[in-house]
Amino acid sequence: MTDLATRAAPPTVTALRRAAPALLGYAAVRALGLLTLALWSAARGKSAYTLLTARWDALWYARVADLGYGYQVRLPNGDVHSNLAFFPLLPWLERGLAAVTPLSYADAGFVVSLLASLAAAWGIFAVADHVYGRSAGVFAVLLWAVLPVGIVQSMAYSESLFTALAAWSLYAVLTGRWLTAGSLAALAGLTRPVGLAVVAAVWAAGIASFVRERSTADARAGECAPAPPGDGPTRRVRASGGAPGTPSAPTAVRRALAMLLAPLGAVGYVLWVGHHTGKGPLGYLDVQAGWRNGFDGGLAFARFVADKFTSFPEALAGVGLIVGVGGVVWLYVVCVRQRQPLPLLVYAGVVTALALCASSYFGSKPRLLLPAFPLLLPLALALSRLRTSRSALVVGGVAVASAVYGAFWLNGSGPP
């Protein structure tokens, strides 16, 4: 894998100016998606704003912001849907914003999502720019914007907030700002269960850095060790008292603190749920079981796909699902072959595994993959090597298709 680069991050104003084309392009794509949704919804007699802020998960987050935890619904089949399944950072932000503005909790969720989506786009650009350069960074952001489920980035959901925290945490790791990386990872862990992917990335980077530095130090120490008598001039250890490549004590401490900070958000909330429900440290798993959600290694998803082949029209959907999953796996293999930095590979791998191997809500899997932006970097790199006119045509065409699909998708009967 590519060694972890730790060159300093640029100043904020310079970084924002550098990211401006990506952010303007992102805003244009999202505006197209929202306009298409508004027109489509109006034609069907629905409110686009209600679809974005007051349905499905958005309602659950708003209820947490309003009433706190403890609300649940018992379905006719006996399943219990508890709002403890929803992590607290987004509701906290909704409550805080509603407290200082005239906005309702739903309105606040929409504002948080819009701002977080811009922060996520900037973070994705920063990561891609750091690894592959500015042009690849711009296309990485545009590709994230034109994903078929990109409309979720403008909903009062937690995907945009989580992706923003994850992207900036990964960027902090890549630029050697360990305490920032650990703090953002802890916040990501308070946002969604998949926050564990950010924790894993910080830990992988920290362990790899430690192993690499120890190996370098041992090698340099061996070079500087005294030679055996009679074998020539004596080589002595440098006057500094250590081999080059040995990390300074403050850096090692910051890295260790980051690794301690990173899991606090996710672990803290899960332990609180266990205490709140009286079911012990794994009580959160019982909450998820009430939603018929869990991790089974992909068996339920495989059965779901296999069932599509029981009739001809459904078989076409089954083929589409297989092609889609194959495409995701292929992109990850390309990321590995292109030697992406270790934290990006770990993060994308965990997000992908958790999304594909969850045992329920199969229609939501594309949304669950939304934060796995490192998978887009090979495509962004390929687009950056095309002529500008060709790449613009590709992105523009996909943006239109994505806007139409997003409008059709949200006006459907089921949750995204």
Side-chain angles (χ1 to χ4, degrees), residues 295-352:
F295 186 89
D296 66 354
L299 293 177
F301 186 40
R303 288 193 295 268
F304 174 78
V305 174
D307 288 343
K308 296 295 182 182
F309 290 92
T310 57
S311 63
F312 174 71
E314 292 290 320
L316 296 178
V319 171
L321 287 171
I322 292 174
V323 171
V325 172
V328 169
V329 174
W330 175 78
L331 282 174
Y332 187 76
V333 171
V334 174
C335 291
V336 174
R337 294 180 63 182
Q338 290 184 343
R339 301 174 67 84
Q340 280 189 16
L342 179 63
L344 300 188
L345 292 176
V346 171
Y347 168 76
V350 175
V351 172
T352 301

Side-chain angles (χ1 to χ4, degrees), residues 16 23 26 37 43 78 96 109 113 120 123 133 202 227 242 246 279-280 326 330 372 381 384 400 411 415:
L16 181 58
L23 298 180
Y26 177 80
L37 175 64
S113 182
V202 172
T246 303
K279 296 183 178 180
W330 175 78
L381 188 60
S384 70
V400 171
N411 277 276

Side-chain angles (χ1 to χ4, degrees), residues 38-403:
L39 295 175
W40 191 296
S41 301
R44 294 174 57 89
K46 294 184 179 181
S47 166
Y49 190 70
T50 298
L51 294 175
L52 293 169
T53 64
R55 290 193 70 186
W56 307 301
D57 288 9
L59 278 176
W60 286 91
Y61 283 118
R63 286 193 184 109
V64 173
D66 184 20
L67 304 174
Y69 286 106
Y71 176 83
Q72 64 183 32
V73 175
R74 184 175 295 275
L75 304 184
N77 65 357
D79 290 344
V80 176
H81 287 186
S82 168
N83 65 0
L84 290 168
F86 296 88
F87 277 47
L89 185 57
L90 177 57
W92 286 347
L93 293 175
E94 290 177 344
R95 181 181 295 179
L97 186 57
V100 297
T101 66
L103 297 175
S104 68
Y105 295 120
D107 296 336
F110 182 66
V111 171
V112 169
S113 182
L114 287 183
L115 296 177
S117 68
L118 287 171
W122 190 3
I124 292 170
F125 171 83
V127 170
D129 179 31
H130 184 88
V131 177
Y132 293 123
R134 187 183 191 186
S135 182
V138 171
F139 283 110
V141 171
L142 294 178
L143 286 173
W144 191 66
V146 303
L147 287 172
V149 295
I151 191 65
V152 174
Q153 298 161 17
S154 300
M155 297 179 69
Y157 274 37
S158 60
E159 274 76 12
S160 290
L161 178 60
F162 173 79
T163 304
L165 294 168
W168 283 109
S169 178
L170 292 170
Y171 180 69
V173 169
L174 294 174
T175 53
R177 296 179 296 168
W178 289 103
L179 290 180
T180 300
S183 300
L184 292 174
L187 291 174
L190 283 171
T191 308
R192 295 185 62 80
V194 75
L196 293 175
V198 191
V199 177
V202 172
W203 272 72
I207 293 171
S209 295
F210 174 77
V211 171
R212 184 171 55 252
E213 289 163 353
R214 284 298 300 269
S215 298
T216 301
D218 290 345
R220 295 299 177 91
E223 291 175 1
C224 298
D231 282 357
T234 299
R235 293 172 295 164
R236 299 190 180 278
V237 178
R238 296 173 181 265
S240 62
T246 303
S248 65
T251 299
V253 170
R254 286 194 294 269
R255 183 173 58 204
L257 286 175
M259 295 175 70
L260 290 175
L261 282 172
L264 291 184
V267 172
Y269 180 69
V270 168
L271 291 178
W272 178 83
V273 169
H275 174 74
H276 183 77
T277 59
K279 296 183 178 180
L282 301 181
Y284 183 76
L285 298 181
D286 290 334
V287 172
Q288 286 284 15
W291 288 78
R292 297 208 172 187
N293 199 14
F295 186 89
D296 66 354
L299 293 177
F301 186 40
R303 288 193 295 268
F304 174 78
V305 174
D307 288 343
K308 296 295 182 182
F309 290 92
T310 57
S311 63
F312 174 71
E314 292 290 320
L316 296 178
V319 171
L321 287 171
I322 292 174
V323 171
V325 172
V328 169
V329 174
W330 175 78
L331 282 174
Y332 187 76
V333 171
V334 174
C335 291
V336 174
R337 294 180 63 182
Q338 290 184 343
R339 301 174 67 84
Q340 280 189 16
L342 179 63
L344 300 188
L345 292 176
V346 171
Y347 168 76
V350 175
V351 172
T352 301
L354 291 176
L356 295 181
C357 297
S359 60
S360 187
Y361 295 96
F362 306 114
S364 297
K365 289 190 181 296
R367 172 172 65 86
L368 299 179
L369 285 167
L370 193 63
F373 68 89
L375 296 179
L376 301 174
L377 297 188
L379 300 177
L381 188 60
L383 284 172
S384 70
R385 292 169 176 169
L386 295 178
R387 291 181 179 178
T388 303
S389 58
R390 291 183 179 180
S391 57
L393 183 63
V394 171
V395 173
V398 177
V400 171
S402 173

